[in-house]
Amino acid sequence: TLAAHAEEKLLNLYSARHYQTDEALYANFTKQTGIRINRIEGKEDELLERIRNEGSNSPADIFLTVDAARLAKAHEMGVFANLTSKSLESRIPAHLRTEDWFSFSTRARVIVYNKASVKAADVQNYEDLANPKLKGKFCSRSGSHPYNLSLMASVIAHQGEARAEELARGMVANFARSPKGGDTDQIKAVAAGECGVALSNTYYVARMLRSTKPEDQKAMEKVGVIWPNQNTTGTHINVSGGGMLKTAPHKEAAVKFLEYLASDAAQRYFADGNNEWPAVSSVKISNPALEALGKFKADNLPVSNLAMYQVKAQMIFDRAGFK
Ligand code: FE
């Protein structure tokens, strides 16, 4: 019966994360609580589509994904349940949570440049990417990608739409080629000299830095990494996170799981699995690749603001011809 199902010690987790360390992360939860985790993995957008299609019959208790844009989309679709948890509120800083979803790790969007063809002094800020000095040098992934949409959303929040559009148009004017590929492709193209400058999330940089492949090591010798906007708003950060579904059959287990993800041990696994920073600031990690990147001033714009300006960000990219 339905009631028996609800009492079963089970949690259905829809997750767009699939890292080696996640095994230990989930096993530890089951050990602590006796709640078995039934994990359904998929691509970020596919999982959300699946939840939409399943509707009120969805077995999903938790939806975990990366990027504020996708979490915002889930919120817009009304799939998350409002959740008050003293534990989550005390552990996760206010700017990294909303009323229905929570960030568990952060990643920064940095500037990577070719040390032979671009001067570090010329690429200290996101705004510099629009400087005509960089004509024919800027490479990017698609403007429709959530990582770029969230960055543009932060620019809108800080500087308004007009300045944001100026930036988008300037970036397009500086393109070395039409947008294509992912962040790692941009790093490699910068190393190869095909582009002078690009944007990347930090964990892709960390992955390249930690790579044992000689070609990756050689590539990273050619590439410099900049924390943008250190003298102004700080470097844009994005998040991975999740929330409990409104239709969750196992709500008690779901809350326990989210609270568990904010615990010290879980935070370490969660962040380290993808070379990210824990959302809970008191949690210390030791990750050589992140340490090699050094300290930086992060933009503390609330994630809800990133969410709020997604649609405007897409419209600006469209108007600017940033495909
Ligand atoms: Fe990614």
Side-chain angles (χ1 to χ4, degrees):
T1 68
L2 267 179
H5 262 281
E7 280 160 28
E8 195 187 347
K9 288 232 171 193
L10 178 72
L11 180 80
N12 292 319
L13 171 64
Y14 281 32
S15 173
R17 293 175 51 93
H18 16 74
Y19 306 114
Q20 291 262 294
T21 47
D22 287 5
E23 295 296 333
L25 176 72
Y26 301 141
N28 196 36
F29 174 72
T30 302
K31 210 169 97 187
Q32 277 183 21
T33 60
I35 299 166
R36 191 166 62 80
I37 294 179
N38 176 31
R39 197 171 2 146
I40 285 116
E41 289 186 348
K43 288 238 169 79
E44 297 84 0
D45 300 323
E46 286 166 16
L47 280 179
L48 195 54
E49 200 49 41
R50 181 165 167 170
I51 291 170
R52 189 211 298 265
N53 292 338
E54 287 169 345
S56 57
N57 293 321
S58 177
D61 292 304
I62 296 281
F63 175 53
L64 287 182
T65 189
V66 297
D67 186 76
R70 294 196 180 97
L71 287 155
K73 196 172 159 200
H75 165 84
E76 288 302 318
M77 282 166 55
V79 303
F80 286 137
N82 277 11
L83 179 58
T84 346
S85 155
K86 281 216 164 70
S87 147
L88 287 172
E89 272 161 33
S90 71
R91 300 277 295 169
I92 298 180
H95 70 280
L96 295 179
R97 55 182 155 83
T98 70
E99 75 276 15
D100 60 8
W101 60 266
F102 303 84
S103 309
F104 295 105
S105 63
T106 65
R107 62 274 296 279
R109 197 136 183 84
V110 292
I111 291 174
V112 291
Y113 68 99
N114 182 300
K115 290 192 276 192
S117 69
V118 169
K119 285 197 212 99
D122 289 339
V123 286
Q124 293 294 311
N125 304 286
Y126 297 117
E127 294 78 3
D128 295 337
L129 299 175
N131 190 323
K133 247 188 192 176
L134 297 175
K135 192 159 182 66
K137 292 197 165 151
F138 177 56
C139 283
S140 181
R141 77 189 304 162
S142 166
S144 303
H145 193 277
Y147 301 160
N148 283 339
L149 288 174
S150 288
L151 171 62
M152 193 47 74
S154 79
V155 176
I156 298 170
H158 285 305
Q159 306 185 36
E161 281 180 72
R163 294 283 295 277
E165 184 158 345
E166 227 172 89
L167 172 59
R169 287 185 186 279
M171 285 165 140
V172 169
N174 284 341
F175 276 160
R177 61 180 189 196
S178 299
K180 64 171 180 184
D183 286 3
T184 304
D185 299 309
Q186 314 310 319
I187 299 173
K188 287 180 176 170
V190 165
E194 194 181 337
C195 328
V197 63
L199 290 161
S200 174
N201 280 357
T202 34
Y203 54 90
Y204 296 111
V205 177
R207 223 177 269 170
M208 286 289 280
L209 288 172
R210 283 179 111 166
S211 171
T212 51
K213 286 188 197 154
E215 66 264 33
D216 290 346
Q217 291 172 357
K218 245 176 127 184
M220 290 318 278
E221 283 169 18
K222 305 235 185 310
V223 173
V225 182
I226 299 282
W227 297 114
N229 298 58
Q230 291 302 282
N231 296 322
T232 58
T233 48
T235 298
H236 166 66
I237 58 165
N238 207 326
V239 299
S240 88
M244 174 172 78
L245 282 284
K246 212 155 59 182
T247 51
H250 313 95
K251 288 210 166 62
E252 207 179 308
V255 174
K256 268 193 191 143
F257 181 72
L258 292 174
E259 290 175 345
Y260 163 78
L261 286 184
S263 69
D264 281 10
Q267 277 282 289
R268 265 181 228 119
Y269 280 123
F270 199 92
D272 230 5
N274 189 32
N275 297 313
E276 294 177 80
W277 292 278
V280 179
S281 56
S282 59
V283 174
K284 295 282 168 275
I285 53 163
S286 85
N287 179 322
L290 292 183
E291 268 157 34
L293 286 175
K295 290 210 181 308
F296 68 103
K297 178 175 123 181
D299 181 357
N300 283 338
L301 190 74
V303 283
S304 53
N305 282 37
L306 296 182
M308 196 190 308
Y309 293 116
Q310 293 298 323
V311 173
K312 281 191 171 146
Q314 183 66 71
M315 285 165 64
I316 284 173
F317 277 136
D318 288 348
R319 282 201 297 269
F322 197 138
K323 294 261 155 52

